């Protein structure tokens, strides 16, 4: 996969962020998109070999729209400055997310601001067996790869139904259960990029499995 072509197209798109320009360059965009889908298809097959519970996610399903949602974010540009995709995608949340873009490239996974019933199920799992999640998050190779849980909207007190003295109160206060890491453009353009993503998938898998099991009671 030649991601340099992707970067070049995104640069031009951001310099000419209009429907008129996109319409005039629709053929070029579809070439970039089709190449990205083909790459995702191959990566999808490789990841399926790793996890017996992997949810087959063809590239066309995995790839996100390049249009921004102007209904909820009317001040954003018409088109994004990145191409995002979610593999192992039972739902739009909980997937293995890969973003290739101008401002940053990132790999992420987990549940970002999940709805109440999902958040409640994750907290119930922590109440029952928070030691397992704690061990996953504190594994040195995991923290080296992903750091800590995303914590920008963490509660300042105990969530309803839990004591502030709960042994896992620090985990229970999270409202988002997701991790991410940024990658350099040099890493994306490297011939070893796919291998790096596979290793990151493996490292993140116990975390995502824990969450998958926690929310399985809802399905």
């Amino acid at each position: 996969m030649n991601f340099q072509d992707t970067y070049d197209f995104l640069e031009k798109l951001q310099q000419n962020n209009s429907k008129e320009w996109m319409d005039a360059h629709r053929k070029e965009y579809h070439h970039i998109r089709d190449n990205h889908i083909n790459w995702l298809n191959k990566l999808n097959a490789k990841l399926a070999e790793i996890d017996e519970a992997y949810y087959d996610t063809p590239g066309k399903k995995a790839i996100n729209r390049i249009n921004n949602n102007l209904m909820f974010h009317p001040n954003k540009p018409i088109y994004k400055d990145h191409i995002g995709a979610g593999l192992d995608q039972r739902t739009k949340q909980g997937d293995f997310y890969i973003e290739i873009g101008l401002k940053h490239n990132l790999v992420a996974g987990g549940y970002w601001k999940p709805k109440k019933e999902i958040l409640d199920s994750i907290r119930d799992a922590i109440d029952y067996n928070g030691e397992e999640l704690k061990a996953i998050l504190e594994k040195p190779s995991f923290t080296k790869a992903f750091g800590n849980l995303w914590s920008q909207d963490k509660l300042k007190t105990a969530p309803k139904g839990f004591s502030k003295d709960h042994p896992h109160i620090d985990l229970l206060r999270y409202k988002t259960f997701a991790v991410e890491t940024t990658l350099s453009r040099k890493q994306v353009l490297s011939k070893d990029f796919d291998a790096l993503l596979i290793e990151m998938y493996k490292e993140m898998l116990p975390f995502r499995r824990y969450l998958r099991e926690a929310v399985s009671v809802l399905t």
Side-chain angles (χ1 to χ4, degrees):
M1 173 69 183
N2 185 359
F3 286 107
Q4 187 59 56
D5 288 347
T6 302
Y7 288 126
D8 290 344
F9 177 80
L10 290 173
E11 291 278 6
K12 290 184 287 186
L13 176 60
Q14 293 311 300
Q15 293 167 11
N16 305 274
N17 203 314
S18 69
K19 185 177 184 302
E20 292 75 18
W21 187 89
M22 177 63 98
D23 287 343
H25 296 80
R26 187 72 59 178
K27 185 175 180 180
E28 183 181 0
Y29 166 63
H30 280 294
H31 174 72
I32 295 295
R33 186 176 185 274
D34 288 346
N35 284 344
H36 207 91
I37 288 172
N38 289 335
W39 170 71
L40 288 168
N41 284 334
K42 294 175 183 177
L43 186 59
N44 178 57
K46 292 176 183 176
L47 297 182
E49 296 174 357
I50 296 170
D51 180 13
E52 62 182 15
Y54 182 87
Y55 193 86
D56 182 48
T57 313
K60 280 190 176 181
K61 179 180 179 181
I63 197 167
N64 292 342
R65 290 174 49 125
I66 200 167
N67 304 65
N68 275 311
N69 189 333
L70 300 182
M71 179 179 292
F72 297 103
H73 304 284
N75 296 323
K76 284 190 174 184
I78 297 175
Y79 300 106
K80 301 171 184 174
D81 64 355
H82 60 269
I83 297 178
L87 291 168
D88 196 11
Q89 186 187 121
R90 282 172 176 76
T91 65
K92 276 290 183 182
Q93 289 194 319
D95 58 3
F96 181 69
Y97 179 75
I98 306 165
E99 182 174 300
I100 307 297
L102 299 180
K103 293 180 181 176
H104 52 244
N105 308 282
L106 63 85
V107 172
Y111 287 81
W112 187 79
K113 295 185 177 181
K115 55 188 178 181
K116 184 179 183 301
E117 54 263 41
I118 291 177
L119 182 58
D120 287 347
S121 289
I122 294 173
R123 284 176 172 159
D124 285 344
I126 293 170
D127 183 40
Y128 175 72
N129 185 16
E131 284 299 323
E132 181 181 348
L133 179 58
K134 183 179 179 182
I136 291 169
L137 296 174
E138 292 181 352
K139 183 181 176 184
S141 57
F142 186 91
T143 57
K144 181 179 179 181
F146 304 111
N148 300 314
L149 286 173
W150 195 86
S151 61
Q152 293 184 26
D153 59 349
K154 190 175 180 181
L155 292 173
K156 294 182 178 179
T157 186
K160 186 177 181 180
F162 295 96
S163 167
K164 64 179 181 179
D165 299 320
H166 192 287
H168 301 300
I169 189 59
D170 188 57
L171 288 174
L172 291 168
R173 286 167 53 212
Y174 281 94
K175 295 170 67 178
T176 286
F177 287 86
V179 294
E180 67 175 32
T181 189
T182 56
L183 303 172
S184 68
R185 187 175 296 197
K186 182 178 180 181
Q187 286 176 298
V188 174
L189 295 175
S190 166
K191 62 181 178 60
D192 299 321
F193 182 49
D194 283 14
L196 174 62
L197 290 177
I198 289 169
E199 288 307 308
M200 297 186 86
Y201 179 86
K202 290 178 180 177
E203 188 64 56
M204 197 189 295
L205 188 53
F207 170 67
R208 295 180 58 249
R209 277 178 174 160
Y210 182 94
L211 298 178
R212 181 192 302 166
E213 181 66 23
V215 303
S216 64
V217 295
L218 301 175
T219 59

